[in-house]
Amino acid sequence: MQTSTLTTTKWAIDATHSEVQFKVKHLVITTVTGQFKTFSGTVEAENDDFRGAKIEFTADADSLTTGNDARDGHLKSDDFFNAAEYPQLSFKSTDLVKKSNERYVLKGNLTIRNFTKAVELDVEFNGTQKDPFYGKTKAGFEINGKINRKEFGLKWDVLTEAGGAVVSEEVKIHANIQLVKIEE
């Protein structure tokens, strides 16, 4: 009887062609967008469609930017990310479940500060393509989800005169990720 061995394909995030953002309501009436400028990640897949892939991701808390230095400083303080004590956010997958041709649910553990929580993110697989300039195989994904910031120790809270939160508890996560296949 012959046994088949699965080949694992390794991928790395191409940070030059990727973005990791978050969106949060401010004063209940507008949305502020921020992003992490420094991040990395790896993917190990045994299938061409990435089903069940093992995914690890980190972002540097100090690389956070919203386009406003004062706000960025507050977000990096102990009221929120405490970048000095907890320099990285991390995610480690537990499963990538295929729902349809392009749709997946990414399950895993997200760690912000010293809080780790299970999260589920919606993923759209945009396919693979050979880069005509460098000859590398690339894969593209769009990732969306929501978390409650207070569950991760981002505790700052002030109410408006009308009783609404200055910064909402719900944080939307949005990422466009391009992977590059690692040739061994």
Side-chain angles (χ1 to χ4, degrees):
M1 185 162 130
Q2 234 179 2
T3 59
S4 63
T5 58
L6 295 174
T7 304
T8 300
T9 304
K10 295 180 181 179
W11 302 78
I13 290 180
D14 178 353
T16 304
H17 297 104
S18 300
E19 60 187 10
V20 177
Q21 298 179 324
F22 60 90
K23 295 179 180 290
V24 64
K25 287 284 188 189
H26 183 255
L27 298 175
V28 190
I29 59 172
T30 58
T31 299
V32 172
T33 300
Q35 62 183 340
F36 294 96
K37 294 296 218 176
T38 306
F39 53 88
S40 63
T42 58
V43 175
E44 292 184 9
E46 294 178 350
N47 302 294
D48 289 340
D49 67 359
F50 291 89
R51 264 178 305 117
K54 294 177 184 171
I55 301 161
E56 293 191 12
F57 170 84
T58 60
D60 292 346
D62 201 46
S63 75
L64 172 152
T65 181
T66 64
N68 179 289
D69 291 340
R71 179 173 47 225
D72 295 351
H74 188 205
L75 289 172
K76 293 174 188 180
S77 78
D78 189 44
D79 285 342
F80 291 97
F81 288 98
N82 193 353
E85 190 170 340
Y86 306 102
Q88 287 195 321
L89 296 72
S90 65
F91 175 84
K92 186 178 272 194
S93 70
T94 55
D95 203 0
L96 181 60
V97 180
K98 187 173 183 175
K99 296 294 184 182
S100 69
N101 284 344
E102 305 91 22
R103 304 280 181 194
Y104 295 75
V105 174
L106 175 58
K107 298 177 182 183
N109 295 309
L110 176 64
T111 301
I112 301 175
R113 296 177 60 116
N114 57 342
F115 298 90
T116 300
K117 300 285 181 189
V119 297
E120 288 189 9
L121 304 169
D122 296 320
V123 177
E124 184 176 347
F125 176 38
N126 295 320
T128 58
Q129 190 70 252
K130 190 126 187 166
D131 185 324
F133 298 105
Y134 301 104
K136 301 279 187 181
T137 301
K138 305 278 186 101
F141 298 87
E142 186 170 335
I143 303 164
N144 290 290
K146 296 176 186 178
I147 62 168
N148 181 316
R149 67 179 174 85
K150 288 191 172 183
E151 291 179 351
F152 293 92
L154 285 72
K155 60 191 177 207
W156 188 80
D157 203 10
V158 172
L159 298 178
T160 66
E161 289 179 10
V166 171
V167 178
S168 69
E169 290 183 23
E170 180 182 270
V171 178
K172 294 179 182 178
I173 298 169
H174 179 75
N176 283 300
I177 300 295
Q178 187 175 108
L179 300 177
V180 60
K181 187 177 184 180
I182 299 171
E183 303 294 337
E184 294 187 22

